[in-house]
Amino acid sequence: MKKLLPTSTAGSLPKPSWLAEPEKLWSSWKLKDEALMTGKQDALRVTLQEQKQAGIDIVSDGEQTRQHFVTTFIENLSGVDFEKRKTVRIRNRYDASVPTVVGPISRHKPVFVEDAKFLRAQTNQPIKWALPGPMTMVDTLFDDHYKSREKLAWEFAKVLNEEAKELEAVGVDIIQFDEPAFNVFIDEVNAWGIACLERAIEGLKCETAVHICYGYGIKANTDWKNTLGAKWRQYEETFPSLQKSNIDIVSLECHNGRVPFEVLELIRGKKVMVGAIDVATNIIETPEEVAATLREALKYVDADKLYPCTNCGMAPLSRDVARGKLNALRAGTDIVRSEL
């Protein structure tokens, strides 16, 4: 983008209460069949309008058409049995009942392409679309077929690449891959995680991003973060490899966390989506608090490469709180733009 400090969101935004239960992650749909399809499109219109009113520059779907940022994509693939469930440890934090990989992974139809096409028709602004990353997909399943996290990740990378190319073809400007697992399985990230990510973006001409955060503001994540010490150093171990990768943009959590800002120096030259909004609290940041985070980041990121953003998705928050936070993000960014 040519605009200085273009604002964006990391991922999900709250769904309208008529579509799904509010302030709850992964809640069930309240509508069915054709009414659900229409309801999802209406929700896309609503979330787009709220982003526009808040002054967000790079808009997204707010994940209005999916229940879960990983499994909604997986539901549309062959080789995964959602009836055959196992309990696994998700990102070494909490147990969950997950579907099982029972055969070769393949994608026989687009997953989000029609949704992206619909959103593209509603706006001329740049659009960012999020997909789950290969490693995070692997960590959200039980594998009874490949019996290798790496082999399964490569298969997911192939189908993600197919989806990404079709999203690019309908006008998506930035395709983001969500990889919270990158902050947990450090050795695997450097051994094959980033390589799988590069396979997922192979051949794309649009901009690509990877979002690496410390998770939604749910208890399992906040409890885990409390065990990480005074300074969170996970980024330090993966950023040198990411800096050498073909990924254009790195999205990370900065505001109200314990991430030392100097880790940004390790990805100097990359575009950086700096999380300046804390999604784990209902307290709405002041514009000056947002500006302070951005000023600190600017010590390590060139101004033309800094994209103010949220730490993570905001689906568990109320729509009023989310709106307030988006407004704060824009207002704080305006302060720093004026200073530059």
Side-chain angles (χ1 to χ4, degrees):
M1 282 194 73
K2 293 182 179 178
K3 186 171 187 177
L4 189 64
L5 306 185
T7 53
S8 184
T9 62
S12 64
L13 293 168
K15 293 182 177 72
S17 59
W18 42 260
L19 181 62
E21 185 178 347
E23 299 179 52
K24 182 180 179 181
L25 272 181
W26 317 316
S27 57
S28 299
W29 302 118
K30 291 185 176 181
L31 305 173
K32 294 181 179 179
D33 304 324
E34 189 173 340
L36 177 58
M37 184 178 70
T38 302
K40 287 178 177 179
Q41 290 183 339
D42 287 343
L44 283 173
R45 291 187 180 98
V46 169
T47 197
L48 175 62
Q49 182 66 14
E50 292 191 337
Q51 290 172 81
K52 286 183 173 182
Q53 287 182 334
I56 300 302
D57 300 304
I58 302 169
V59 296
S60 77
D61 65 319
E63 300 183 13
Q64 299 296 295
T65 65
R66 54 187 117 174
Q67 283 183 287
H68 189 281
F69 80 107
V70 178
T71 54
T72 298
F73 185 77
I74 294 172
E75 284 170 3
N76 291 273
L77 304 178
S78 298
V80 182
D81 187 343
F82 274 76
E83 299 301 317
K84 186 178 181 181
R85 304 188 75 86
K86 297 281 187 178
T87 298
V88 302
R89 195 79 173 161
I90 302 291
R91 286 180 277 294
N92 288 340
R93 279 174 236 167
Y94 55 93
D95 292 329
S97 174
V98 301
T100 299
V101 179
V102 295
I105 296 296
S106 60
R107 168 188 173 273
H108 298 293
K109 62 179 182 179
V111 181
F112 299 125
V113 175
E114 287 302 315
D115 295 334
K117 188 185 298 183
F118 179 84
L119 187 64
R120 177 75 283 167
Q122 311 302 312
T123 181
N124 292 322
Q125 289 180 240
I127 290 175
K128 178 165 71 73
W129 201 276
L131 294 172
M135 180 179 285
T136 297
M137 292 173 74
V138 167
D139 195 54
T140 315
L141 294 166
F142 179 79
D143 176 19
D144 198 29
H145 178 71
Y146 296 96
K147 302 183 188 301
S148 161
R149 285 168 62 88
E150 181 179 355
K151 287 180 181 177
L152 180 56
W154 282 107
E155 296 304 312
F156 280 143
K158 292 176 188 175
V159 296
L160 285 165
N161 184 249
E162 294 170 8
E163 180 79 7
K165 285 179 176 176
E166 292 193 38
L167 288 170
E168 178 186 54
V170 297
V172 172
D173 301 281
I174 301 172
I175 297 176
Q176 171 180 299
F177 294 87
D178 292 336
E179 283 286 21
F182 273 24
N183 267 345
V184 182
F185 308 108
I186 306 296
D187 290 342
E188 289 180 318
V189 174
N190 289 316
W192 52 263
I194 293 172
C196 285
L197 200 58
E198 291 193 302
R199 174 64 182 90
I201 69 170
E202 192 174 281
L204 294 177
K205 296 179 177 63
C206 66
E207 287 198 298
T208 57
V210 59
H211 173 64
I212 312 168
C213 68
Y214 289 83
Y216 280 114
I218 59 176
K219 187 177 185 300
N221 291 338
T222 54
D223 288 349
W224 171 66
K225 287 192 275 190
N226 288 333
T227 70
L228 298 180
K231 289 191 176 183
W232 300 344
R233 297 285 184 182
Q234 286 73 19
Y235 291 131
E236 283 184 339
E237 300 184 64
T238 56
F239 276 10
S241 298
L242 275 171
Q243 203 280 332
K244 299 172 187 174
S245 75
N246 294 326
I247 292 286
D248 298 307
I249 305 167
V250 178
S251 169
L252 76 159
E253 179 172 332
C254 289
H255 186 66
N256 270 5
R258 299 173 194 164
V259 175
F261 278 87
E262 57 263 28
V263 302
L264 293 169
E265 186 65 46
L266 299 173
I267 47 172
R268 174 77 73 173
K270 294 286 187 189
K271 295 176 181 178
V272 184
M273 288 185 172
V274 171
I277 294 291
D278 184 359
V279 302
T281 175
N282 287 317
I283 298 171
I284 296 171
E285 289 79 0
T286 65
E288 185 51 48
E289 286 172 331
V290 172
T293 296
L294 299 180
R295 289 189 198 105
E296 190 65 26
L298 280 167
K299 295 177 182 178
Y300 308 98
V301 182
D302 296 337
D304 63 343
K305 291 181 170 59
L306 194 151
Y307 291 34
C309 194
T310 58
N311 277 352
C312 188
M314 295 198 286
L317 303 179
S318 73
R319 289 175 66 190
D320 284 344
V321 168
R323 274 193 294 264
K325 286 177 175 287
L326 291 180
N327 286 327
L329 179 64
R330 185 260 312 148
T333 300
D334 284 346
I335 292 172
V336 178
R337 280 194 194 120
S338 67
E339 293 169 354
L340 293 171

